[in-house]
Amino acid sequence: MPSTHKPPPLVASTLWWATLAIFAFVYGTYMTFHIGGSAVDVAILTLSFCLTFAILWFLRSYWQGQDWTRDFVMIGLVLKLGYELFITLRAHHFPHSIRSQAFFCLRIADMLFSAYIFIWLFTKQAKRHFDLPNLDADLTDHRTRVSR
């Protein structure tokens, strides 16, 4: 039976990404209705709603340790880090408004956290978490063969 103890980086990354997905949807909803959303804005908001739930479904699978999610997370983190580095290096100056500084600091924190999670995914602890379902199936198959 798989362990119910979740590794702390898994807990932190799941909560962080779920929070970011939900806040992005809430911010999009606020902006759509604050500026008087048109039909196109509502359509984009509907797409954002579906995307938010798809991300949350993916995070549920990631939380459960399904091995395919580890590969997707690694690919997504590489793309995300590349994009963030591109945007950060393109900026010629530090943002001056409080709002811009807050978003800049949030992006830097997210970039550092993403780098940490990317490295963690290669540790034995992460590999063990994502391979547990396969190990249990292999043990069951082995026990069946031995008992015959």
Side-chain angles (χ1 to χ4, degrees), residues 80-91 107 111:
K80 180 181 180 181
L81 288 170
Y83 172 76
E84 289 294 339
L85 285 173
F86 174 74
I87 295 297
T88 303
L89 294 175
R90 252 183 80 205
R107 284 182 35 219
M111 188 169 64

Side-chain angles (χ1 to χ4, degrees), residues 3-69:
S3 171
T4 57
H5 175 71
K6 303 292 184 192
L10 178 82
V11 174
S13 60
T14 302
L15 292 175
W16 176 254
W17 292 329
T19 302
L20 286 179
I22 291 168
F23 278 143
F25 175 72
V26 168
Y27 181 74
T29 304
Y30 169 76
M31 291 306 293
T32 298
F33 292 109
H34 180 69
I35 60 174
S38 65
V40 173
D41 293 333
V42 173
I44 291 171
L45 183 62
T46 304
L47 180 64
S48 174
F49 179 74
C50 294
L51 183 61
T52 299
F53 276 101
I55 290 170
L56 293 176
W57 171 82
F58 174 81
L59 287 174
R60 179 181 165 272
S61 300
Y62 172 74
W63 175 263
Q64 292 174 342
Q66 295 181 15
D67 55 356
W68 63 270
T69 60

